[in-house]
Amino acid sequence: MLHPPSSAAAELWAQRPVVLTFFSSWCTTCASSQAALSELARSYRDRVVFVGVAGADQADEVQDYLRAHRVEYPVVLDDQQTIWRSYAVREPPAVVLVAKGGALLRGWPGGLDASTLDQRLRELVLADQP
Amino acid sequence: MRRSIMTLLPLLLAGATGCGTVGAAQEAVDPTTVRVLVRDINIRAAGVDCAGTGPYQHFHNRAPFRVLDPDGAALASGQLPAGTAVAAFAEDLGVERLPTYCEFAVGVRVPQRTSYRLEVDGRPALDLTPDSSEGPALVAVVPS
């Protein structure tokens, strides 16, 4: 299944798989899993692109959240929740995995812990890479 | 000195619950719990933290709220905590993620009034109904 990608998104997944993490600064579940997710993103820095998508939120509170949880990957403030709706995200957290080239591989409403995501990344997008 | 402490006591108690009592410093206030059941029937694991979804997205952790009297005067204010997902149906569906509602509960101290309303994040206020089945509470269900 292919999305109708924006040019920026298409550039993102042209070369590498993409993990979209949907979150809000007030989301307690997001906060409790964010440190491990940030660390996982650092460990995959050259192989998988992580992008955060903040919705139902305020820019200054998102900034505070990013600093508090050492989020170093790019984050989009989805003011109108356009991206959230595109991926049928109703509530944070949620994680979506997009293959290199743009195929939607899997979504996890409710999110998932970093170790499980790590395992899924190895199974779904890295197993056939040299 | 003793008088000062007694004057401050209600404020200290209100602070301990994370909520403020508004404009009712001279009246006796009673502790109660504001409970809001958001019947959004979203798929979640029962017991996880949650927020309202769809048209109820403004019900979430840190959302500002006010308890109002019949004239619209604020009696208490604060921020909602995270909600808790509760199963929408009694049947055991045999799956981890199931249709749920999102239930919020926050302690407040309010003076006696004939009725109360709850305003969340500046949205139209909801009627609160007294319920003592699990201790003193003021309950709202959305959609009603």
Side-chain angles (χ1 to χ4, degrees):
Chain A
M1 177 178 178
L2 292 172
H3 325 277
S6 68
S7 58
E11 286 173 20
L12 274 180
W13 57 56
Q15 303 299 322
R16 286 178 287 179
V18 174
V19 172
L20 299 173
T21 68
F22 294 85
F23 73 101
S24 298
S25 67
W26 43 259
C27 166
T28 52
T29 306
C30 307
S32 63
S33 61
Q34 186 62 63
L37 199 57
S38 298
E39 184 56 37
L40 185 68
R42 282 188 284 276
S43 74
Y44 275 99
R45 187 186 304 273
D46 297 324
R47 293 172 292 167
V48 177
V49 179
F50 281 65
V51 178
V53 186
D57 219 329
Q58 303 295 319
D60 56 340
E61 295 184 1
V62 171
Q63 286 289 355
D64 291 344
Y65 177 95
L66 300 180
R67 273 191 293 271
H69 298 284
R70 297 188 60 222
V71 179
E72 295 167 358
Y73 50 80
V75 170
V76 177
L77 185 58
D78 190 15
D79 280 337
Q80 303 301 315
Q81 295 181 260
T82 309
I83 306 171
W84 278 37
R85 280 195 297 276
S86 298
Y87 289 89
V89 173
R90 291 174 54 82
E91 178 182 11
V95 174
V96 167
L97 178 55
V98 181
K100 176 182 172 182
L104 178 61
L105 290 178
R106 180 79 191 265
W108 292 275
L112 76 171
D113 63 82
S115 62
T116 306
L117 177 58
D118 186 15
Q119 188 180 343
R120 296 291 179 265
L121 283 170
R122 293 174 193 279
E123 293 168 359
L124 295 171
V125 301
L126 299 178
D128 56 349
Q129 290 189 1
Chain B
M1 183 64 183
R2 180 181 176 82
R3 188 170 180 173
S4 302
I5 292 172
M6 293 308 288
T7 305
L8 283 172
L9 192 57
L11 294 174
L12 293 171
L13 289 171
T17 63
C19 302
T21 301
V22 180
Q26 303 305 314
E27 287 186 80
V29 291
D30 297 313
T32 188
T33 302
V34 171
R35 297 187 185 281
V36 184
L37 184 66
V38 178
R39 300 192 296 180
D40 56 358
I41 315 185
N42 199 34
I43 306 298
R44 312 173 175 99
V48 301
D49 284 1
C50 60
T53 60
Y56 314 113
Q57 206 174 50
H58 54 290
F59 291 92
H60 62 72
N61 180 40
R62 298 198 328 233
F65 76 85
R66 297 193 304 162
V67 178
L68 308 176
D69 73 7
D71 297 325
L75 302 173
S77 64
Q79 294 184 331
L80 292 181
T84 301
V86 296
F89 309 111
E91 291 81 2
D92 181 0
L93 302 177
V95 292
E96 182 189 1
R97 290 168 52 79
L98 61 161
T100 61
Y101 301 147
C102 189
E103 185 177 50
F104 297 83
V106 59
V108 297
R109 300 177 68 84
V110 290
Q112 192 67 42
R113 292 291 187 273
T114 54
S115 63
Y116 302 89
R117 291 170 67 77
L118 174 69
E119 178 194 84
V120 176
D121 200 19
R123 305 299 178 94
L126 310 164
D127 287 332
L128 287 166
T129 303
D131 183 321
S132 57
S133 60
E134 297 177 29
L138 297 166
V139 176
V141 177
V142 288
S144 56

